[in-house]
Amino acid sequence: MSQTWGVTPAGKIGPIVAGVVVTGYGYAVAGPVFGTVALVVSAAGIWLAAFRPSLTLTADELIVRNPWSTTTIPLADVKGFGGAYAGLSIERHSGGSVAAWAVQKSNAAKWAGKRTRADEVADAIREAAGQRL
């Protein structure tokens, strides 16, 4: 069994809009050469921020794929969770934590005590690990 969570469709809107604006500005103001460079840079940024991040739960590990790195965490090493704007924070028994960018919890939801997708993902990981963290 394996389950993967990626960036939500709403979370993809920001990077896509920013890429379109930067590319349009490049073409309109600086010309086709800079516009083409802006298009390439924007496409890479959109892929890194909106499409690459994911969190995969397998039978015995978590695979956290962020824009710049991929981290594999054995389920036995998962100590707890913290939801944050920067991503679901996965605390480890071996020390430190890893943020999963694909699963975020807004500060407003956190302050209001609102249950979000990040809470549901943490529950699924707890259930798979057979522990109540």
Side-chain angles (χ1 to χ4, degrees), residues 105 107-116 119:
K105 184 170 187 167
N107 290 335
K110 191 173 182 178
W111 296 329
K114 183 178 179 186
R115 188 162 173 75
T116 65
D119 299 307

Side-chain angles (χ1 to χ4, degrees), residues 4 6 21-22 33 45 50 74 77 80 98 114 122 132:
T4 299
V21 168
V22 166
V33 173
D77 194 24
V98 176
K114 183 178 179 186
R132 291 289 153 208

Side-chain angles (χ1 to χ4, degrees), residues 82-98:
Y85 182 75
L88 180 67
S89 177
I90 303 163
E91 300 163 6
R92 303 171 73 170
H93 287 291
S94 61
S97 64
V98 176

Side-chain angles (χ1 to χ4, degrees), residues 46-62:
I46 290 168
W47 180 78
L48 285 170
F51 294 96
R52 187 175 193 286
S54 67
L55 175 62
T56 301
L57 169 64
T58 68
D60 57 350
E61 64 189 9
L62 290 174

Side-chain angles (χ1 to χ4, degrees), residues 2-130:
S2 173
Q3 186 170 3
T4 299
W5 296 273
V7 176
T8 64
K12 293 177 181 177
I13 291 172
I16 292 170
V17 168
V20 169
V21 168
V22 166
T23 301
Y25 181 81
Y27 275 106
V29 173
V33 173
F34 184 79
T36 302
V37 171
L39 174 64
V40 171
V41 171
S42 294
I46 290 168
W47 180 78
L48 285 170
F51 294 96
R52 187 175 193 286
S54 67
L55 175 62
T56 301
L57 169 64
T58 68
D60 57 350
E61 64 189 9
L62 290 174
I63 303 166
V64 180
R65 196 168 74 164
N66 287 327
W68 308 112
S69 66
T70 300
T71 305
T72 301
I73 305 169
L75 286 179
D77 194 24
V78 176
K79 181 179 179 181
F81 302 95
Y85 182 75
L88 180 67
S89 177
I90 303 163
E91 300 163 6
R92 303 171 73 170
H93 287 291
S94 61
S97 64
V98 176
W101 285 31
V103 182
Q104 299 179 350
K105 184 170 187 167
S106 71
N107 290 335
K110 191 173 182 178
W111 296 329
K114 183 178 179 186
R115 188 162 173 75
T116 65
R117 177 174 174 248
D119 299 307
E120 293 169 8
V121 170
D123 288 347
I125 295 168
R126 283 187 193 99
E127 184 178 326

